Amino acid sequence: MAEAANDNSYLYRAASLEDTAYLAQRLASLLEPGSVLGLDGDLGAGKTAFSQALARALGVRDLVNSPTFTIIKEYEGAQLPFYHMDVYRLSLEEADELGLDDYFYGSGVTLIEWASLIEDILPPERLHIHIAYEESGRSFRLHPIGEPYSAWCRQLKENGVLT
Ligand SMILES: Nc1ncnc2c1ncn2[C@@H]1O[C@H](COP(=O)(O)OP(=O)(O)O)[C@@H](O)[C@H]1O
Ligand SMILES: [Mg+2]
């Protein structure tokens, strides 16, 4: 408890893909136009699995694949567009030239896999999620930067979703 207060981060443990989907659902209900989520974690950590669960929770009906080669894919959700990025193969300069601000400050929700690679050009306020592989499943460490992300995390902690 003191731990979370000190570094302003929150923990979620997922023992299964269903648990990953549950976190995605809880977050999806808070998302709004211009929300930005940055994902990090080793290959195989579960970034794309979380992205797919978030897309489903947003009512995206198309199949969501890893956009490693396409870099950006846009989907139509039930209420909000969903912009799914994987910047693993991009240099910071290339990412900068793509003009990602049109997405970040657009009318949809942006999720970036390998977000820390382009940290310098991300919006100042965002929710950063670090996923780690564990023997018992996956751990999600949430780092809110600015409002409303901090408020979301506090609320999810009050509701017992995060610790
Ligand atoms: N919470 C989880 N529990 C069990 N398996 C998971 C979980 N999250 C992801 N996986 C599995 O781990 C593998 C790698 O996941 P993926 O999302 O492709 O990782 P990444 O995009 O981080 O490289 C997939 O087979 C996926 O189904
Ligand atoms: Mg992936």
Side-chain angles (χ1 to χ4, degrees), residues 36-40 110-113 115 122 126-130:
V36 175
L37 306 184
L39 297 190
D40 277 293
T110 304
L111 183 153
I112 309 124
E113 297 195 39
L122 293 177
R126 58 197 190 261
L127 179 62
H128 187 87
I129 303 177
H130 192 276

Side-chain angles (χ1 to χ4, degrees), residues 14-17 20 41-50 113 137-138 140:
S16 63
L17 282 172
T20 291
D42 294 340
L43 205 67
K47 299 180 296 299
T48 298
F50 177 81
E113 297 195 39
R138 305 293 195 277
F140 289 72

Side-chain angles (χ1 to χ4, degrees), residues 23-82:
L23 177 63
Q25 279 164 29
R26 296 302 296 253
L27 280 170
S29 68
L30 300 166
L31 297 171
E32 45 198 40
S35 293
V36 175
L37 306 184
L39 297 190
D40 277 293
D42 294 340
L43 205 67
K47 299 180 296 299
T48 298
F50 177 81
S51 308
Q52 290 167 333
L54 191 76
R56 276 197 302 277
L58 288 170
V60 172
R61 289 164 159 271
D62 290 352
L63 190 66
V64 174
N65 293 312
S66 181
T68 307
F69 293 98
T70 48
I71 300 168
I72 305 170
K73 286 195 83 171
E74 302 183 37
Y75 299 91
E76 206 48 58
Q79 260 98 46
L80 296 168
F82 176 57

